[in-house]
Amino acid sequence: EPTSMTASRKEPLPPDLWCAGPILEAVQRARVFADSKDFVDSPLRPEISHEEALRRWALLPHPIDDAAVRAFVLSTFSPPGSDLEHWTPPDFTPTPPLLLSL
């Protein structure tokens, strides 16, 4: 079964929060992000476990309105890409000779 890996947690998480299901559907319907791909790049906040995120979702009144979806996302997930770490390869060259010759 596929998993999702976040840099801050280092353990695989089930994909159901991001890849399919009612949470993803609600986030996309509510247009929480300008770019529809941003939610899948939003890690859980460090203090929120996968189980806690699902518990918070279950406690919301359903059907859920767009404002409640936005509040859930802001309180449960960190900004898109915030779990990424900057890394420069040791052999990185900003202007490689091959590209300069093109």
Side-chain angles (χ1 to χ4, degrees), residues 92-101:
F92 176 73
T93 304
T95 54
L98 176 65
L99 290 180
L100 293 174
S101 68

Side-chain angles (χ1 to χ4, degrees), residues 6-7 10 14 17 20-21 23 25 33-34 40 43 46 50 55 62-64 68 73 98-99:
T6 65
K10 307 289 189 211
L17 290 177
I23 296 174
E25 291 171 17
F33 299 100
V40 299
H50 180 259
R55 186 188 73 74
H62 293 275
I64 185 170
V73 169
L98 176 65
L99 290 180

Side-chain angles (χ1 to χ4, degrees), residues 12-33:
L13 295 174
D16 56 320
L17 290 177
W18 298 271
C19 298
I23 296 174
L24 176 64
E25 291 171 17
V27 170
Q28 298 300 355
R29 185 192 74 246
R31 299 177 189 241
V32 173
F33 299 100

